[in-house]
Amino acid sequence: MTQLKMSRRSFLKLSAATAAAAGALSAVPSGFAAAAENAQEKSGEIKRVRTGCRGCGKMECGVIAVVQDGKVIRMEGDPTAFQSMGNCCTKSQSAMQAAYHPDRLRYPLKRTNDKESDDPGWVRISWDEAISTVVSKFNELQAKYGGESLFGMCGTSRVWCMFGASNGMYLWDSPNIVQAWQICKGPRHFATMMVSSFTDSWMETVGHPDVYVAWGGASEMSNYDDSCRTTVDVATRAKTHICVDPRETNMGKEGDYQLHLRPGTDGAMALAWTNVVIENDLYDSLFTKKWTDGPFLVVEDLEPSGWTEISPCCGVPFEVKTKLLKESDLVEGGSPQRFMVWDNLNNKLTYFDASTSFWEGETWAPATAGKEAMQENLAPGFSQGFVLDPTGFGAEDGFATEIDPALFGEFQVTLKDGSAHTAVPVFQKYAERAAEYTPEVVSEICGVPAESIRDAALAYATRLRPETGYGNGGIQYMLAVEHANTAIQNSRALNNLSSICGNYDTPGGNRHSTKAPIEGGQFGFANNGSGMPMLSPGQMDKLLGNQDIPLLKWWGMWSDATTVYNAVLTGEPYPVVGAFNSSGNFMHQCNSDMAWDALKSLDFYVENNLWHTPGGTVCDIKMPAAHFLELNSPRTSQGASGAMGATIKCIDPPGEAKFDGEIIEMLYKEKGVPYNVIPVAPEYPTIDQMLDMSVMAFEPQGWEKFAADFQEHGWWDCKEVEPDLWGTYRRYQTGAIRGRTAVGFVGTVGDWLPGFYTPTKKVEIWSTVMESFHPEGQWNLPTYTEPPHSPVSDPEMFAEYPLIITTGRRIPVYFHSEHRQLPWCRELWPAPRVEINPDDAKEYGIEQGDWVWIETPYGKIREVADLYYGVRKGTINCEHQWWFPELEQNGKGHELCAVNHLIDPWARDPHCGASNLRAYLGKIYKATPENSPFNNPVPCGHDGTEIIHDASDPRLKEWLPVYEGREA
């Protein structure tokens, strides 16, 4: 039987995949190190270029590209980059292998063969032909079927290559977008936009919280904000380290508390922590009373009413209808935005006015009193920041009469029709909801001892340094909580938990995406033009998924992927026939079989990318993009790291590959739409002019000066660059949370009112948006629902498929679907592995290194068994998004091992549509010659060619960098 030739011990020794050795993850495998070493021995000019890495998702690691004789020969960590602490992981070091890879796309290509063929018959065409073909074909499809028949696609954000996700298809009047954001950061942003403010799920890990909570991820390997050496340093130095994860992670094994919960039960665990916090009076009473809707009164038998609100992201009007007691419910002509509160001090009703953001009798002024933060162990170059003192309800806080809003109690109120009703504070309702999830109850749900749940919650919420005036730190909750049918509820529960414990916008707390005066952060740079046309009236109503997921229209940032692919295949609710893909793939959500069939069925499909990807094999037109070493871009932290810097061009792109922004502008020009409408630059600016515009608020002299200063200065700390918008904590007391418009675009100006971007301007424990779109009320407060296919919810399926499948673990050398063709990376991790508890492996007759079949009712794949006691018995942990660049065939072998071939496409979150990716049922059995195609347990291509599954495979050498002939 063919097996991996590396043992687990030698494999782990080679890859150094352990949290304690996060720095050692930088080690280059010896097998291919000679190429780089030989390059260094050559004589010639050596330059050290400070830049920002883009080897993974959105972590803005500072690196140094070492350039000799015009070639990048080495990547090193930038020791002055406070946000990454000199880290340079395997993915970053392999960047030069990506830039100089022999399989890079170099020219625009056109398909000449059928989409079922393993040979697409690619023919090189000019850029003029590529652009004119794309625009004319999309124009033709729009005229025939309507703009909604087209959609944009995008994978992991790369700052400059997000046209498909950045409303690019508005050029053809389409609201439809399929993007990884739907299951990757997006549900957290969706939830926080709904109940507090956009992206305040990001935790300021670089602020070194006293208690570090890593929930549902392995940030020591990779993450979207702080990761790698930074989080290892934080976890090591924290007074308490808590890990909540179904498996024992590399860093989590060093934790003080490890809660290995059943996959998909995060919401129950979060509510159990909330119960412990409330029962032990560990919540921040002042924050909860003044800055959440906790004291707002609920009248359960009240007819919901409200006002017309504008959704903060896409500007769609909607009706707020809520059972929260308002002045308009009590008196004729009363305001529907004055929310009633019981004042314990004066024994009467008072109100908070959401239209003004002030309390009754309050004269507000921005808070100014405070002190420097008191965080320990900060990296050199990272400032403490200024923490405002919390404001209360007294005369010194601008209140004509001191008040004390009630969080508990029952109060009799008389409505304007004379009827009497009982009103209860939201926080009491939340306490009652949390009481349904005691540690004992949740122990049965999650499979974690009640004592461990209680102890971890107490350790998180009991302030270790009360003298600071703020909590122990936020919660770094990661992708696992989003890959569920409860993505929004999970995020709400965790957001509430962090907030009521005094960690909202505090040092080491949860505090939004970095506010900087330049582009290149959360919404990127040059991924769409300022001249982007708006949708015609009624088009947003056609957003796919809105038909059965009502909140998608309120959100407006993506369509539901499953609904889009279904529309392609069925023509319902209308035909979908064309797509433009910016760097994304189809394997990240929905069922991959369904998605693949849909892509093959499109009348016209375009991809802009570096490589021949699985989906790219069925494209009609391919356009070659530049690598991050080949372009300039401003960069700021998308998370709360607070770093500002740049990606600096080190080498020219190969052949005719272009910077994405230039390609997008070419589309605009061919379409006859101005790319730019900002007066400081022409309608169709050069790349240099785009760059000048991106930094002009910080450096009026433009990009060249900014880039030169960056080389000299290094990364800027946005606490110092933007002291009001970023350098101050508790910004809800100054209006700075609302200092920009809701999504925070650079250059926008908000109303600077105190509070948050919700209809009530409070952190909404009781969500008025959720209530308005789901008036049946089951989701007004965060709740927990079983995964749709679990031992509890689907016992019939469990009888045949007795294992819980989870996925998504971080691999040191890969980022989701990326880097499978980079020889250093593939040598270290040549084949996909499924972790299985040794007790389960024994039961199923599986040994270390066996190829195994993993099967569900929706599909089956093969991966290599990796026996690991760190996985719960009864659970297997599959790797995701595997494909095989070495296979010269349609789809690149994605169907062999990509885990999302196993999922139920219709098992989704009911609010954002996120696929249930990490908690479903399956079975496992040994792959044998008898049950495997070609009588070979090793996955093979259509012609029987084995995939690369061994570190010594000679095909890896075919991918070594090619330095010469890039210009051809």
Side-chain angles (χ1 to χ4, degrees), residues 286 289-290 359 391-397 399 401-405:
L286 180 56
K289 289 178 178 180
K290 190 166 187 181
W359 293 80
T391 60
F393 296 98
E396 68 277 13
D397 304 303
F399 282 74
T401 302
E402 185 176 358
I403 65 171
D404 179 23

Side-chain angles (χ1 to χ4, degrees), residues 792-807:
V792 177
S793 63
D794 198 343
E796 184 178 343
M797 183 176 174
F798 181 59
E800 184 176 354
Y801 298 93
L803 295 173
I804 298 172
I805 297 176
T806 190
T807 186

Side-chain angles (χ1 to χ4, degrees), residues 128-167:
D128 286 346
E129 181 179 352
I131 295 297
S132 65
T133 300
V134 170
V135 172
S136 62
K137 188 63 178 178
F138 282 148
N139 286 347
E140 174 190 327
L141 295 175
Q142 179 188 8
K144 186 174 182 179
Y145 299 105
E148 65 274 11
S149 68
L150 310 173
F151 66 97
M153 291 180 68
C154 184
T156 295
S157 48
R158 281 296 192 275
V159 181
W160 49 81
C161 59
M162 301 188 289
F163 178 70
S166 301
N167 299 331

Side-chain angles (χ1 to χ4, degrees), residues 61-120:
C61 288
V63 295
I64 303 294
V66 181
V67 182
Q68 183 177 36
D69 294 328
K71 302 177 180 67
V72 177
I73 63 167
R74 188 169 65 255
M75 301 294 290
E76 300 175 355
D78 182 351
T80 69
F82 61 85
Q83 77 278 16
S84 51
M85 300 180 64
N87 186 70
C88 186
C89 74
T90 49
K91 297 179 287 294
S92 182
Q93 290 192 44
S94 299
M96 59 189 227
Q97 290 198 327
Y100 292 106
H101 200 285
D103 290 349
R104 282 281 302 279
L105 293 178
R106 298 185 175 207
Y107 311 101
L109 300 173
K110 177 174 66 175
R111 165 183 298 280
T112 59
N113 288 341
D114 183 83
K115 292 188 179 183
E116 294 292 342
S117 173
D118 282 340
D119 176 15

Side-chain angles (χ1 to χ4, degrees), residues 51 207 315 387 393 469 480 493 562-563 605 644 654 663 680 800 827 836 877 933 965:
T51 186
V387 186
F393 296 98
T562 296
T563 307
Y605 181 40
M644 183 178 85
I663 298 170
V680 296
E800 184 176 354
E827 181 192 32
I836 181 171
N877 180 35

Side-chain angles (χ1 to χ4, degrees), residues 575-590:
V576 175
V577 294
F580 186 106
N581 181 16
S582 303
S583 78
N585 74 71
F586 63 91
M587 298 180 290
H588 50 64
Q589 63 183 314
C590 186

